[in-house]
Amino acid sequence: MKNTFDREAFKEKLEAQTSFPSLYMFKFIVPQGKEQEVAKLLPNNKIELKNSSKGTYVSVTIKAMMSSSEAIMEIYDAASKIEGVIAL
């Protein structure tokens, strides 16, 4: 079963629930060694890393001031190109 993402529905929800500019929290899970690729998406922002119990994956949390729902969507689009990334 393929998991599909409804980009427009997510964007509408962001716009309905958020007034911009706003501090937005991005959370990703990436294979060990890929965390810096995610960090490069939002440079100059505080990044929190937490290794999985087996050390195979890293949870990456980044809080960033975002100007619009489209800016948030651009980060998710860029992150989706990183091999093995899971956006939460």
Side-chain angles (χ1 to χ4, degrees):
M1 183 170 111
K2 185 177 179 181
N3 186 11
T4 58
F5 173 69
D6 188 343
R7 189 180 196 283
E8 286 304 311
F10 181 61
K11 185 177 176 185
E12 287 175 18
K13 189 177 280 191
L14 278 172
E15 290 172 357
Q17 296 177 354
T18 310
S19 19
F20 293 99
S22 180
L23 187 64
Y24 187 81
M25 182 170 58
F26 292 91
K27 292 188 76 76
F28 301 98
I29 296 174
V30 295
Q32 187 74 30
K34 299 278 187 175
E35 56 272 19
Q36 291 308 312
E37 289 184 50
V38 174
K40 288 178 185 176
L41 299 175
L42 294 155
N44 305 319
N45 290 285
K46 184 180 176 195
I47 182 171
E48 294 178 30
L49 304 173
K50 182 177 178 186
N51 290 318
S52 66
S53 60
K54 292 183 181 179
T56 310
Y57 295 95
V58 179
S59 168
V60 181
T61 303
I62 306 172
K63 292 180 183 176
M65 189 60 69
M66 302 305 291
S67 60
S68 67
S69 61
E70 190 58 40
I72 293 170
M73 299 305 297
E74 288 173 8
I75 297 297
Y76 282 120
D77 288 342
S80 71
K81 293 175 175 70
I82 299 171
E83 185 180 348
V85 73
I86 299 170
L88 302 176

